[in-house]
PDB file of all heavy atoms in Angstrom:
ATOM      1  N   TYR B   1      10.867  -3.026 -75.679  1.00 89.00           N
ATOM      2  CA  TYR B   1      10.218  -3.971 -74.779  1.00 89.00           C
ATOM      3  C   TYR B   1      10.309  -3.495 -73.324  1.00 89.00           C
ATOM      4  O   TYR B   1       9.490  -3.895 -72.491  1.00 89.00           O
ATOM      5  CB  TYR B   1      10.866  -5.351 -74.903  1.00 89.00           C
ATOM      6  CG  TYR B   1      10.652  -5.999 -76.244  1.00 89.00           C
ATOM      7  CD1 TYR B   1      11.702  -6.163 -77.136  1.00 89.00           C
ATOM      8  CD2 TYR B   1       9.392  -6.442 -76.625  1.00 89.00           C
ATOM      9  CE1 TYR B   1      11.506  -6.767 -78.374  1.00 89.00           C
ATOM     10  CE2 TYR B   1       9.183  -7.040 -77.858  1.00 89.00           C
ATOM     11  CZ  TYR B   1      10.246  -7.195 -78.730  1.00 89.00           C
ATOM     12  OH  TYR B   1      10.036  -7.777 -79.956  1.00 89.00           O
ATOM     13  N   LEU B   2      11.263  -2.644 -73.027  1.00 88.00           N
ATOM     14  CA  LEU B   2      11.387  -2.117 -71.673  1.00 88.00           C
ATOM     15  C   LEU B   2      10.185  -1.267 -71.285  1.00 88.00           C
ATOM     16  O   LEU B   2       9.838  -1.174 -70.110  1.00 88.00           O
ATOM     17  CB  LEU B   2      12.666  -1.284 -71.546  1.00 88.00           C
ATOM     18  CG  LEU B   2      13.987  -2.047 -71.578  1.00 88.00           C
ATOM     19  CD1 LEU B   2      15.154  -1.076 -71.512  1.00 88.00           C
ATOM     20  CD2 LEU B   2      14.064  -3.045 -70.437  1.00 88.00           C
ATOM     21  N   ASN B   3       9.558  -0.645 -72.279  1.00 88.00           N
ATOM     22  CA  ASN B   3       8.400   0.180 -71.979  1.00 88.00           C
ATOM     23  C   ASN B   3       7.251  -0.638 -71.389  1.00 88.00           C
ATOM     24  O   ASN B   3       6.467  -0.134 -70.591  1.00 88.00           O
ATOM     25  CB  ASN B   3       7.917   0.890 -73.244  1.00 88.00           C
ATOM     26  CG  ASN B   3       8.912   1.907 -73.747  1.00 88.00           C
ATOM     27  OD1 ASN B   3       9.856   2.252 -73.053  1.00 88.00           O
ATOM     28  ND2 ASN B   3       8.715   2.379 -74.968  1.00 88.00           N
ATOM     29  N   VAL B   4       7.155  -1.897 -71.824  1.00 91.00           N
ATOM     30  CA  VAL B   4       6.093  -2.766 -71.301  1.00 91.00           C
ATOM     31  C   VAL B   4       6.349  -3.078 -69.834  1.00 91.00           C
ATOM     32  O   VAL B   4       5.467  -2.923 -68.984  1.00 91.00           O
ATOM     33  CB  VAL B   4       6.022  -4.073 -72.117  1.00 91.00           C
ATOM     34  CG1 VAL B   4       4.922  -4.984 -71.571  1.00 91.00           C
ATOM     35  CG2 VAL B   4       5.785  -3.772 -73.585  1.00 91.00           C
ATOM     36  N   GLY B   5       7.566  -3.495 -69.519  1.00 92.00           N
ATOM     37  CA  GLY B   5       7.886  -3.868 -68.143  1.00 92.00           C
ATOM     38  C   GLY B   5       7.873  -2.691 -67.193  1.00 92.00           C
ATOM     39  O   GLY B   5       7.403  -2.804 -66.056  1.00 92.00           O
ATOM     40  N   SER B   6       8.385  -1.528 -67.646  1.00 93.00           N
ATOM     41  CA  SER B   6       8.439  -0.363 -66.753  1.00 93.00           C
ATOM     42  C   SER B   6       7.053   0.124 -66.380  1.00 93.00           C
ATOM     43  O   SER B   6       6.851   0.676 -65.301  1.00 93.00           O
ATOM     44  CB  SER B   6       9.244   0.763 -67.402  1.00 93.00           C
ATOM     45  OG  SER B   6       8.612   1.228 -68.586  1.00 93.00           O
ATOM     46  N   MET B   7       6.089  -0.090 -67.268  1.00 92.00           N
ATOM     47  CA  MET B   7       4.707   0.304 -66.971  1.00 92.00           C
ATOM     48  C   MET B   7       4.214  -0.395 -65.710  1.00 92.00           C
ATOM     49  O   MET B   7       3.674   0.231 -64.786  1.00 92.00           O
ATOM     50  CB  MET B   7       3.822  -0.070 -68.166  1.00 92.00           C
ATOM     51  CG  MET B   7       2.349   0.216 -67.968  1.00 92.00           C
ATOM     52  SD  MET B   7       1.990   1.975 -68.065  1.00 92.00           S
ATOM     53  CE  MET B   7       0.384   1.993 -67.255  1.00 92.00           C
ATOM     54  N   TRP B   8       4.421  -1.696 -65.636  1.00 95.00           N
ATOM     55  CA  TRP B   8       3.916  -2.465 -64.493  1.00 95.00           C
ATOM     56  C   TRP B   8       4.862  -2.420 -63.306  1.00 95.00           C
ATOM     57  O   TRP B   8       4.437  -2.598 -62.166  1.00 95.00           O
ATOM     58  CB  TRP B   8       3.638  -3.903 -64.927  1.00 95.00           C
ATOM     59  CG  TRP B   8       2.687  -3.957 -66.073  1.00 95.00           C
ATOM     60  CD1 TRP B   8       2.916  -4.436 -67.326  1.00 95.00           C
ATOM     61  CD2 TRP B   8       1.346  -3.465 -66.086  1.00 95.00           C
ATOM     62  NE1 TRP B   8       1.807  -4.288 -68.112  1.00 95.00           N
ATOM     63  CE2 TRP B   8       0.825  -3.697 -67.378  1.00 95.00           C
ATOM     64  CE3 TRP B   8       0.528  -2.859 -65.136  1.00 95.00           C
ATOM     65  CZ2 TRP B   8      -0.468  -3.335 -67.740  1.00 95.00           C
ATOM     66  CZ3 TRP B   8      -0.764  -2.488 -65.488  1.00 95.00           C
ATOM     67  CH2 TRP B   8      -1.253  -2.732 -66.773  1.00 95.00           C
ATOM     68  N   LEU B   9       6.137  -2.174 -63.565  1.00 95.00           N
ATOM     69  CA  LEU B   9       7.087  -2.001 -62.472  1.00 95.00           C
ATOM     70  C   LEU B   9       6.685  -0.810 -61.616  1.00 95.00           C
ATOM     71  O   LEU B   9       6.641  -0.886 -60.382  1.00 95.00           O
ATOM     72  CB  LEU B   9       8.494  -1.797 -63.034  1.00 95.00           C
ATOM     73  CG  LEU B   9       9.610  -1.549 -62.015  1.00 95.00           C
ATOM     74  CD1 LEU B   9       9.808  -2.765 -61.135  1.00 95.00           C
ATOM     75  CD2 LEU B   9      10.909  -1.193 -62.731  1.00 95.00           C
ATOM     76  N   ALA B  10       6.362   0.304 -62.257  1.00 94.00           N
ATOM     77  CA  ALA B  10       5.957   1.508 -61.526  1.00 94.00           C
ATOM     78  C   ALA B  10       4.592   1.329 -60.877  1.00 94.00           C
ATOM     79  O   ALA B  10       4.361   1.756 -59.735  1.00 94.00           O
ATOM     80  CB  ALA B  10       5.940   2.714 -62.471  1.00 94.00           C
ATOM     81  N   ALA B  11       3.663   0.693 -61.602  1.00 93.00           N
ATOM     82  CA  ALA B  11       2.293   0.559 -61.100  1.00 93.00           C
ATOM     83  C   ALA B  11       2.213  -0.312 -59.851  1.00 93.00           C
ATOM     84  O   ALA B  11       1.265  -0.193 -59.067  1.00 93.00           O
ATOM     85  CB  ALA B  11       1.389  -0.014 -62.189  1.00 93.00           C
ATOM     86  N   ASN B  12       3.201  -1.194 -59.652  1.00 94.00           N
ATOM     87  CA  ASN B  12       3.181  -2.083 -58.488  1.00 94.00           C
ATOM     88  C   ASN B  12       4.233  -1.740 -57.440  1.00 94.00           C
ATOM     89  O   ASN B  12       4.190  -2.280 -56.338  1.00 94.00           O
ATOM     90  CB  ASN B  12       3.365  -3.534 -58.945  1.00 94.00           C
ATOM     91  CG  ASN B  12       2.171  -4.052 -59.713  1.00 94.00           C
ATOM     92  OD1 ASN B  12       1.143  -4.411 -59.148  1.00 94.00           O
ATOM     93  ND2 ASN B  12       2.291  -4.083 -61.030  1.00 94.00           N
ATOM     94  N   MET B  13       5.167  -0.838 -57.770  1.00 95.00           N
ATOM     95  CA  MET B  13       6.160  -0.384 -56.798  1.00 95.00           C
ATOM     96  C   MET B  13       5.546   0.740 -55.965  1.00 95.00           C
ATOM     97  O   MET B  13       6.005   1.886 -55.942  1.00 95.00           O
ATOM     98  CB  MET B  13       7.416   0.101 -57.524  1.00 95.00           C
ATOM     99  CG  MET B  13       8.581   0.429 -56.599  1.00 95.00           C
ATOM    100  SD  MET B  13       9.348  -1.025 -55.852  1.00 95.00           S
ATOM    101  CE  MET B  13      10.169  -1.738 -57.288  1.00 95.00           C
ATOM    102  N   VAL B  14       4.469   0.392 -55.269  1.00 92.00           N
ATOM    103  CA  VAL B  14       3.684   1.394 -54.551  1.00 92.00           C
ATOM    104  C   VAL B  14       3.249   0.840 -53.196  1.00 92.00           C
ATOM    105  O   VAL B  14       3.351  -0.360 -52.927  1.00 92.00           O
ATOM    106  CB  VAL B  14       2.430   1.813 -55.362  1.00 92.00           C
ATOM    107  CG1 VAL B  14       2.830   2.527 -56.651  1.00 92.00           C
ATOM    108  CG2 VAL B  14       1.573   0.595 -55.686  1.00 92.00           C
ATOM    109  N   VAL B  15       2.736   1.724 -52.374  1.00 89.00           N
ATOM    110  CA  VAL B  15       2.357   1.328 -51.023  1.00 89.00           C
ATOM    111  C   VAL B  15       1.108   0.449 -51.015  1.00 89.00           C
ATOM    112  O   VAL B  15       0.843  -0.235 -50.023  1.00 89.00           O
ATOM    113  CB  VAL B  15       2.167   2.585 -50.149  1.00 89.00           C
ATOM    114  CG1 VAL B  15       0.888   3.312 -50.506  1.00 89.00           C
ATOM    115  CG2 VAL B  15       2.223   2.249 -48.673  1.00 89.00           C
ATOM    116  N   SER B  16       0.344   0.429 -52.105  1.00 87.00           N
ATOM    117  CA  SER B  16      -0.805  -0.489 -52.188  1.00 87.00           C
ATOM    118  C   SER B  16      -0.338  -1.938 -52.100  1.00 87.00           C
ATOM    119  O   SER B  16      -1.011  -2.783 -51.495  1.00 87.00           O
ATOM    120  CB  SER B  16      -1.569  -0.268 -53.493  1.00 87.00           C
ATOM    121  OG  SER B  16      -2.210   0.971 -53.507  1.00 87.00           O
ATOM    122  N   SER B  17       0.786  -2.244 -52.724  1.00 93.00           N
ATOM    123  CA  SER B  17       1.334  -3.603 -52.641  1.00 93.00           C
ATOM    124  C   SER B  17       1.723  -3.931 -51.208  1.00 93.00           C
ATOM    125  O   SER B  17       1.529  -5.062 -50.738  1.00 93.00           O
ATOM    126  CB  SER B  17       2.551  -3.728 -53.562  1.00 93.00           C
ATOM    127  OG  SER B  17       2.205  -3.440 -54.904  1.00 93.00           O
ATOM    128  N   PHE B  18       2.275  -2.950 -50.509  1.00 94.00           N
ATOM    129  CA  PHE B  18       2.588  -3.126 -49.086  1.00 94.00           C
ATOM    130  C   PHE B  18       1.327  -3.476 -48.307  1.00 94.00           C
ATOM    131  O   PHE B  18       1.333  -4.330 -47.418  1.00 94.00           O
ATOM    132  CB  PHE B  18       3.214  -1.843 -48.540  1.00 94.00           C
ATOM    133  CG  PHE B  18       3.578  -1.900 -47.083  1.00 94.00           C
ATOM    134  CD1 PHE B  18       4.852  -2.281 -46.687  1.00 94.00           C
ATOM    135  CD2 PHE B  18       2.648  -1.577 -46.095  1.00 94.00           C
ATOM    136  CE1 PHE B  18       5.177  -2.343 -45.330  1.00 94.00           C
ATOM    137  CE2 PHE B  18       2.963  -1.631 -44.760  1.00 94.00           C
ATOM    138  CZ  PHE B  18       4.240  -2.021 -44.372  1.00 94.00           C
ATOM    139  N   ALA B  19       0.229  -2.796 -48.624  1.00 89.00           N
ATOM    140  CA  ALA B  19      -1.031  -3.016 -47.911  1.00 89.00           C
ATOM    141  C   ALA B  19      -1.539  -4.442 -48.077  1.00 89.00           C
ATOM    142  O   ALA B  19      -2.146  -4.998 -47.149  1.00 89.00           O
ATOM    143  CB  ALA B  19      -2.082  -2.022 -48.394  1.00 89.00           C
ATOM    144  N   ILE B  20      -1.310  -5.037 -49.244  1.00 92.00           N
ATOM    145  CA  ILE B  20      -1.738  -6.425 -49.452  1.00 92.00           C
ATOM    146  C   ILE B  20      -0.960  -7.358 -48.536  1.00 92.00           C
ATOM    147  O   ILE B  20      -1.532  -8.212 -47.848  1.00 92.00           O
ATOM    148  CB  ILE B  20      -1.544  -6.826 -50.923  1.00 92.00           C
ATOM    149  CG1 ILE B  20      -2.459  -5.996 -51.824  1.00 92.00           C
ATOM    150  CG2 ILE B  20      -1.831  -8.315 -51.116  1.00 92.00           C
ATOM    151  CD1 ILE B  20      -3.921  -6.175 -51.569  1.00 92.00           C
ATOM    152  N   GLY B  21       0.351  -7.202 -48.507  1.00 95.00           N
ATOM    153  CA  GLY B  21       1.149  -8.039 -47.609  1.00 95.00           C
ATOM    154  C   GLY B  21       0.806  -7.820 -46.155  1.00 95.00           C
ATOM    155  O   GLY B  21       0.821  -8.757 -45.345  1.00 95.00           O
ATOM    156  N   ALA B  22       0.453  -6.571 -45.826  1.00 93.00           N
ATOM    157  CA  ALA B  22       0.138  -6.244 -44.436  1.00 93.00           C
ATOM    158  C   ALA B  22      -1.157  -6.878 -43.955  1.00 93.00           C
ATOM    159  O   ALA B  22      -1.426  -6.916 -42.748  1.00 93.00           O
ATOM    160  CB  ALA B  22       0.053  -4.722 -44.275  1.00 93.00           C
ATOM    161  N   LEU B  23      -1.976  -7.400 -44.864  1.00 92.00           N
ATOM    162  CA  LEU B  23      -3.222  -8.062 -44.458  1.00 92.00           C
ATOM    163  C   LEU B  23      -2.978  -9.436 -43.837  1.00 92.00           C
ATOM    164  O   LEU B  23      -3.844  -9.960 -43.137  1.00 92.00           O
ATOM    165  CB  LEU B  23      -4.146  -8.227 -45.679  1.00 92.00           C
ATOM    166  CG  LEU B  23      -4.763  -6.978 -46.303  1.00 92.00           C
ATOM    167  CD1 LEU B  23      -5.542  -7.361 -47.553  1.00 92.00           C
ATOM    168  CD2 LEU B  23      -5.678  -6.268 -45.314  1.00 92.00           C
ATOM    169  N   ALA B  24      -1.832 -10.026 -44.111  1.00 93.00           N
ATOM    170  CA  ALA B  24      -1.595 -11.425 -43.729  1.00 93.00           C
ATOM    171  C   ALA B  24      -1.789 -11.666 -42.243  1.00 93.00           C
ATOM    172  O   ALA B  24      -2.412 -12.650 -41.831  1.00 93.00           O
ATOM    173  CB  ALA B  24      -0.184 -11.845 -44.154  1.00 93.00           C
ATOM    174  N   LEU B  25      -1.257 -10.768 -41.402  1.00 92.00           N
ATOM    175  CA  LEU B  25      -1.336 -10.985 -39.954  1.00 92.00           C
ATOM    176  C   LEU B  25      -2.652 -10.526 -39.345  1.00 92.00           C
ATOM    177  O   LEU B  25      -3.359 -11.340 -38.721  1.00 92.00           O
ATOM    178  CB  LEU B  25      -0.155 -10.300 -39.263  1.00 92.00           C
ATOM    179  CG  LEU B  25      -0.157 -10.357 -37.730  1.00 92.00           C
ATOM    180  CD1 LEU B  25      -0.116 -11.809 -37.255  1.00 92.00           C
ATOM    181  CD2 LEU B  25       1.023  -9.573 -37.172  1.00 92.00           C
ATOM    182  N   PRO B  26      -3.050  -9.253 -39.495  1.00 90.00           N
ATOM    183  CA  PRO B  26      -4.249  -8.801 -38.776  1.00 90.00           C
ATOM    184  C   PRO B  26      -5.552  -9.378 -39.303  1.00 90.00           C
ATOM    185  O   PRO B  26      -6.508  -9.530 -38.540  1.00 90.00           O
ATOM    186  CB  PRO B  26      -4.202  -7.277 -38.955  1.00 90.00           C
ATOM    187  CG  PRO B  26      -3.434  -7.058 -40.208  1.00 90.00           C
ATOM    188  CD  PRO B  26      -2.417  -8.156 -40.250  1.00 90.00           C
ATOM    189  N   VAL B  27      -5.618  -9.698 -40.592  1.00 89.00           N
ATOM    190  CA  VAL B  27      -6.871 -10.182 -41.175  1.00 89.00           C
ATOM    191  C   VAL B  27      -6.907 -11.705 -41.258  1.00 89.00           C
ATOM    192  O   VAL B  27      -7.926 -12.332 -40.952  1.00 89.00           O
ATOM    193  CB  VAL B  27      -7.100  -9.557 -42.575  1.00 89.00           C
ATOM    194  CG1 VAL B  27      -8.356 -10.138 -43.223  1.00 89.00           C
ATOM    195  CG2 VAL B  27      -7.199  -8.036 -42.470  1.00 89.00           C
ATOM    196  N   TYR B  28      -5.791 -12.328 -41.628  1.00 91.00           N
ATOM    197  CA  TYR B  28      -5.782 -13.774 -41.874  1.00 91.00           C
ATOM    198  C   TYR B  28      -5.002 -14.566 -40.828  1.00 91.00           C
ATOM    199  O   TYR B  28      -4.950 -15.793 -40.896  1.00 91.00           O
ATOM    200  CB  TYR B  28      -5.219 -14.062 -43.270  1.00 91.00           C
ATOM    201  CG  TYR B  28      -6.028 -13.403 -44.359  1.00 91.00           C
ATOM    202  CD1 TYR B  28      -5.593 -12.228 -44.960  1.00 91.00           C
ATOM    203  CD2 TYR B  28      -7.244 -13.938 -44.763  1.00 91.00           C
ATOM    204  CE1 TYR B  28      -6.331 -11.608 -45.951  1.00 91.00           C
ATOM    205  CE2 TYR B  28      -8.000 -13.334 -45.749  1.00 91.00           C
ATOM    206  CZ  TYR B  28      -7.538 -12.164 -46.343  1.00 91.00           C
ATOM    207  OH  TYR B  28      -8.282 -11.550 -47.323  1.00 91.00           O
ATOM    208  N   ASN B  29      -4.366 -13.872 -39.888  1.00 91.00           N
ATOM    209  CA  ASN B  29      -3.677 -14.512 -38.773  1.00 91.00           C
ATOM    210  C   ASN B  29      -2.637 -15.530 -39.237  1.00 91.00           C
ATOM    211  O   ASN B  29      -2.505 -16.623 -38.676  1.00 91.00           O
ATOM    212  CB  ASN B  29      -4.697 -15.188 -37.841  1.00 91.00           C
ATOM    213  CG  ASN B  29      -4.097 -15.522 -36.490  1.00 91.00           C
ATOM    214  OD1 ASN B  29      -3.206 -14.819 -36.005  1.00 91.00           O
ATOM    215  ND2 ASN B  29      -4.582 -16.587 -35.877  1.00 91.00           N
ATOM    216  N   LEU B  30      -1.859 -15.151 -40.238  1.00 93.00           N
ATOM    217  CA  LEU B  30      -0.825 -16.031 -40.754  1.00 93.00           C
ATOM    218  C   LEU B  30       0.525 -15.700 -40.131  1.00 93.00           C
ATOM    219  O   LEU B  30       0.783 -14.561 -39.734  1.00 93.00           O
ATOM    220  CB  LEU B  30      -0.722 -15.905 -42.278  1.00 93.00           C
ATOM    221  CG  LEU B  30      -1.883 -16.480 -43.090  1.00 93.00           C
ATOM    222  CD1 LEU B  30      -1.704 -16.158 -44.565  1.00 93.00           C
ATOM    223  CD2 LEU B  30      -1.992 -17.987 -42.892  1.00 93.00           C
ATOM    224  N   GLY B  31       1.416 -16.684 -40.072  1.00 93.00           N
ATOM    225  CA  GLY B  31       2.777 -16.449 -39.640  1.00 93.00           C
ATOM    226  C   GLY B  31       3.604 -15.860 -40.762  1.00 93.00           C
ATOM    227  O   GLY B  31       3.088 -15.533 -41.838  1.00 93.00           O
ATOM    228  N   PHE B  32       4.904 -15.762 -40.547  1.00 94.00           N
ATOM    229  CA  PHE B  32       5.763 -15.114 -41.544  1.00 94.00           C
ATOM    230  C   PHE B  32       6.033 -16.022 -42.743  1.00 94.00           C
ATOM    231  O   PHE B  32       5.781 -15.651 -43.886  1.00 94.00           O
ATOM    232  CB  PHE B  32       7.093 -14.693 -40.905  1.00 94.00           C
ATOM    233  CG  PHE B  32       8.047 -14.080 -41.880  1.00 94.00           C
ATOM    234  CD1 PHE B  32       7.828 -12.812 -42.392  1.00 94.00           C
ATOM    235  CD2 PHE B  32       9.177 -14.780 -42.307  1.00 94.00           C
ATOM    236  CE1 PHE B  32       8.705 -12.244 -43.309  1.00 94.00           C
ATOM    237  CE2 PHE B  32      10.060 -14.227 -43.216  1.00 94.00           C
ATOM    238  CZ  PHE B  32       9.823 -12.948 -43.713  1.00 94.00           C
ATOM    239  N   VAL B  33       6.508 -17.225 -42.507  1.00 94.00           N
ATOM    240  CA  VAL B  33       6.894 -18.106 -43.607  1.00 94.00           C
ATOM    241  C   VAL B  33       5.690 -18.520 -44.442  1.00 94.00           C
ATOM    242  O   VAL B  33       5.741 -18.524 -45.681  1.00 94.00           O
ATOM    243  CB  VAL B  33       7.631 -19.347 -43.067  1.00 94.00           C
ATOM    244  CG1 VAL B  33       7.910 -20.338 -44.197  1.00 94.00           C
ATOM    245  CG2 VAL B  33       8.932 -18.938 -42.397  1.00 94.00           C
ATOM    246  N   ASP B  34       4.588 -18.885 -43.802  1.00 94.00           N
ATOM    247  CA  ASP B  34       3.413 -19.306 -44.570  1.00 94.00           C
ATOM    248  C   ASP B  34       2.840 -18.152 -45.389  1.00 94.00           C
ATOM    249  O   ASP B  34       2.343 -18.347 -46.502  1.00 94.00           O
ATOM    250  CB  ASP B  34       2.349 -19.933 -43.674  1.00 94.00           C
ATOM    251  CG  ASP B  34       2.128 -19.176 -42.382  1.00 94.00           C
ATOM    252  OD1 ASP B  34       2.912 -18.263 -42.098  1.00 94.00           O
ATOM    253  OD2 ASP B  34       1.170 -19.500 -41.656  1.00 94.00           O
ATOM    254  N   ALA B  35       2.907 -16.931 -44.855  1.00 95.00           N
ATOM    255  CA  ALA B  35       2.448 -15.775 -45.619  1.00 95.00           C
ATOM    256  C   ALA B  35       3.334 -15.538 -46.840  1.00 95.00           C
ATOM    257  O   ALA B  35       2.836 -15.248 -47.940  1.00 95.00           O
ATOM    258  CB  ALA B  35       2.430 -14.527 -44.735  1.00 95.00           C
ATOM    259  N   ILE B  36       4.646 -15.683 -46.676  1.00 96.00           N
ATOM    260  CA  ILE B  36       5.582 -15.491 -47.787  1.00 96.00           C
ATOM    261  C   ILE B  36       5.350 -16.527 -48.886  1.00 96.00           C
ATOM    262  O   ILE B  36       5.313 -16.205 -50.085  1.00 96.00           O
ATOM    263  CB  ILE B  36       7.043 -15.565 -47.286  1.00 96.00           C
ATOM    264  CG1 ILE B  36       7.344 -14.395 -46.342  1.00 96.00           C
ATOM    265  CG2 ILE B  36       8.009 -15.581 -48.463  1.00 96.00           C
ATOM    266  CD1 ILE B  36       7.240 -13.035 -46.980  1.00 96.00           C
ATOM    267  N   LEU B  37       5.182 -17.782 -48.491  1.00 96.00           N
ATOM    268  CA  LEU B  37       4.935 -18.838 -49.477  1.00 96.00           C
ATOM    269  C   LEU B  37       3.627 -18.607 -50.220  1.00 96.00           C
ATOM    270  O   LEU B  37       3.528 -18.853 -51.433  1.00 96.00           O
ATOM    271  CB  LEU B  37       4.924 -20.201 -48.785  1.00 96.00           C
ATOM    272  CG  LEU B  37       6.262 -20.666 -48.200  1.00 96.00           C
ATOM    273  CD1 LEU B  37       6.083 -21.972 -47.435  1.00 96.00           C
ATOM    274  CD2 LEU B  37       7.304 -20.827 -49.306  1.00 96.00           C
ATOM    275  N   THR B  38       2.616 -18.140 -49.502  1.00 96.00           N
ATOM    276  CA  THR B  38       1.334 -17.830 -50.136  1.00 96.00           C
ATOM    277  C   THR B  38       1.489 -16.710 -51.159  1.00 96.00           C
ATOM    278  O   THR B  38       0.935 -16.769 -52.263  1.00 96.00           O
ATOM    279  CB  THR B  38       0.296 -17.425 -49.069  1.00 96.00           C
ATOM    280  OG1 THR B  38       0.173 -18.465 -48.103  1.00 96.00           O
ATOM    281  CG2 THR B  38      -1.066 -17.178 -49.703  1.00 96.00           C
ATOM    282  N   LEU B  39       2.253 -15.681 -50.803  1.00 97.00           N
ATOM    283  CA  LEU B  39       2.506 -14.572 -51.727  1.00 97.00           C
ATOM    284  C   LEU B  39       3.161 -15.065 -53.016  1.00 97.00           C
ATOM    285  O   LEU B  39       2.759 -14.683 -54.121  1.00 97.00           O
ATOM    286  CB  LEU B  39       3.408 -13.527 -51.064  1.00 97.00           C
ATOM    287  CG  LEU B  39       2.792 -12.643 -49.980  1.00 97.00           C
ATOM    288  CD1 LEU B  39       3.866 -11.738 -49.383  1.00 97.00           C
ATOM    289  CD2 LEU B  39       1.660 -11.808 -50.550  1.00 97.00           C
ATOM    290  N   ILE B  40       4.180 -15.892 -52.872  1.00 97.00           N
ATOM    291  CA  ILE B  40       4.909 -16.360 -54.052  1.00 97.00           C
ATOM    292  C   ILE B  40       3.990 -17.157 -54.974  1.00 97.00           C
ATOM    293  O   ILE B  40       3.915 -16.898 -56.189  1.00 97.00           O
ATOM    294  CB  ILE B  40       6.117 -17.216 -53.630  1.00 97.00           C
ATOM    295  CG1 ILE B  40       7.146 -16.350 -52.884  1.00 97.00           C
ATOM    296  CG2 ILE B  40       6.760 -17.874 -54.849  1.00 97.00           C
ATOM    297  CD1 ILE B  40       8.287 -17.144 -52.281  1.00 97.00           C
ATOM    298  N   PHE B  41       3.282 -18.108 -54.419  1.00 96.00           N
ATOM    299  CA  PHE B  41       2.466 -19.010 -55.234  1.00 96.00           C
ATOM    300  C   PHE B  41       1.325 -18.283 -55.939  1.00 96.00           C
ATOM    301  O   PHE B  41       1.153 -18.403 -57.164  1.00 96.00           O
ATOM    302  CB  PHE B  41       1.907 -20.134 -54.351  1.00 96.00           C
ATOM    303  CG  PHE B  41       1.060 -21.120 -55.092  1.00 96.00           C
ATOM    304  CD1 PHE B  41       1.644 -22.076 -55.910  1.00 96.00           C
ATOM    305  CD2 PHE B  41      -0.322 -21.084 -54.995  1.00 96.00           C
ATOM    306  CE1 PHE B  41       0.865 -22.986 -56.608  1.00 96.00           C
ATOM    307  CE2 PHE B  41      -1.111 -21.983 -55.687  1.00 96.00           C
ATOM    308  CZ  PHE B  41      -0.518 -22.943 -56.501  1.00 96.00           C
ATOM    309  N   PHE B  42       0.553 -17.489 -55.214  1.00 96.00           N
ATOM    310  CA  PHE B  42      -0.627 -16.873 -55.811  1.00 96.00           C
ATOM    311  C   PHE B  42      -0.271 -15.672 -56.696  1.00 96.00           C
ATOM    312  O   PHE B  42      -1.015 -15.360 -57.623  1.00 96.00           O
ATOM    313  CB  PHE B  42      -1.623 -16.474 -54.720  1.00 96.00           C
ATOM    314  CG  PHE B  42      -2.380 -17.649 -54.165  1.00 96.00           C
ATOM    315  CD1 PHE B  42      -1.942 -18.303 -53.023  1.00 96.00           C
ATOM    316  CD2 PHE B  42      -3.516 -18.115 -54.801  1.00 96.00           C
ATOM    317  CE1 PHE B  42      -2.622 -19.399 -52.515  1.00 96.00           C
ATOM    318  CE2 PHE B  42      -4.218 -19.209 -54.297  1.00 96.00           C
ATOM    319  CZ  PHE B  42      -3.765 -19.852 -53.158  1.00 96.00           C
TER     320      PHE B  42
END
């Protein structure tokens, strides 16, 4: 079962995921806490 999780662990442990979080301020003008809560929920 570890093979299933490691597949997606590697695929998302990348700088593309960083780029999504980095959109919060310059594109959507969000603060820190509201951006974090949005990340968790969606």
Side-chain angles (χ1 to χ4, degrees):
Y1 294 110
L2 290 177
N3 293 348
V4 180
S6 64
M7 177 74 198
W8 303 117
L9 178 65
N12 291 282
M13 187 71 71
V14 295
V15 73
S16 292
S17 301
F18 180 93
I20 295 298
L23 291 175
L25 176 61
V27 176
Y28 301 101
N29 196 31
L30 290 174
F32 177 72
V33 174
D34 43 351
I36 294 297
L37 293 175
T38 304
L39 287 176
I40 294 173
F41 180 76
F42 284 94

